[in-house]
Amino acid sequence: MNNHWRLLAVVLPAGLAWAGEKFTAEQLKARFYYDLGPATLDVSSYPKRKQENYGVFARNCSQCHTLARPINAPIVKREDWRRYVRRMHLKTKAATGTDFSKTDGEEIVSFLAFDSKLRKVHGKAAFDAQTAQLKKLFEDVTAERSRRQQEQDQKKVKPAPMPGVGVKPQPH
């Protein structure tokens, strides 16, 4: 088991116990369960070219969302990553200053496909365990967001006055 998974095995359960009381701002902003997982990878054991591709991935993909999203997403197949990265490329064209090149896109796909095969296919049991923990944490985060929204909504609603209370008698 590499150090990343050891750390995750210790941190995630502790985070789940802590999550019942309080969530970080980042956790409360999560759109998907995989946004709640690790946002970096130790790629020091990866081939040099894949380490370089990780840099391209980190630089480009972090412009619009956390790196936790693709790192922990259930996507595994190269063609699925290609489709996803192509969609992100089109989105970046619409946002000023975030566009990445087709070459960058190819390097991103190359990294994500390699990493997915290593961590999500060959390390399937560990990845599946992490996914189950992230899904549970996301349920807790979603419930907390709902609770907070209800609390805010209640503060906005002013109770209607009781009939006859606070009404001055009118002279006849």
Side-chain angles (χ1 to χ4, degrees):
M1 180 185 276
N2 70 29
N3 289 336
H4 171 74
W5 293 112
R6 284 187 191 134
L7 177 64
L8 194 58
V10 172
V11 172
L12 268 179
L16 289 172
W18 169 74
E21 296 179 28
K22 189 176 180 181
F23 297 94
T24 67
E26 291 79 23
Q27 288 172 320
L28 290 169
K29 287 189 260 181
R31 292 181 55 202
F32 308 99
Y33 72 85
Y34 30 93
D35 287 337
L36 297 170
T40 60
L41 293 172
D42 176 4
V43 296
S44 60
S45 64
Y46 287 16
K48 183 160 179 51
R49 186 69 186 138
K50 299 305 178 191
Q51 291 177 31
E52 292 167 358
N53 290 349
Y54 176 74
V56 173
F57 156 74
R59 183 177 60 254
N60 285 289
C61 298
S62 64
Q63 294 180 93
C64 301
H65 53 74
T66 70
L67 294 181
R69 186 170 294 173
I71 287 172
N72 304 294
I75 301 170
V76 175
K77 295 179 181 176
R78 177 177 291 275
E79 56 269 15
D80 293 335
W81 279 122
R82 185 171 285 118
R83 187 172 37 256
Y84 184 83
V85 170
R86 193 174 299 131
R87 190 171 72 227
M88 295 300 108
H89 178 71
L90 292 173
K91 284 185 175 188
T92 64
K93 283 183 166 190
T96 305
T98 61
D99 188 24
F100 59 88
S101 71
K102 286 188 178 189
T103 300
D104 284 352
E106 291 167 12
E107 291 174 356
I108 292 167
V109 169
S110 176
F111 169 76
L112 289 169
F114 174 84
D115 176 69
S116 293
K117 184 176 181 182
L118 195 65
R119 288 186 316 107
K120 300 173 185 180
V121 176
H122 294 154
K124 183 175 177 16
F127 187 76
D128 288 349
Q130 173 194 350
T131 296
Q133 290 177 327
L134 293 177
K135 285 180 176 180
K136 171 64 175 121
L137 179 57
F138 189 67
E139 286 176 19
D140 294 343
V141 166
T142 302
E144 177 64 12
R145 275 198 306 246
S146 178
R147 185 195 68 74
R148 288 182 182 200
Q149 186 62 53
Q150 288 175 346
E151 199 174 85
Q152 284 180 351
D153 291 348
Q154 286 175 350
K155 288 178 183 177
K156 290 178 186 175
V157 175
K158 295 181 181 178
M162 298 282 289
V165 175
V167 178
K168 293 183 180 180
Q170 297 296 318
H172 297 302

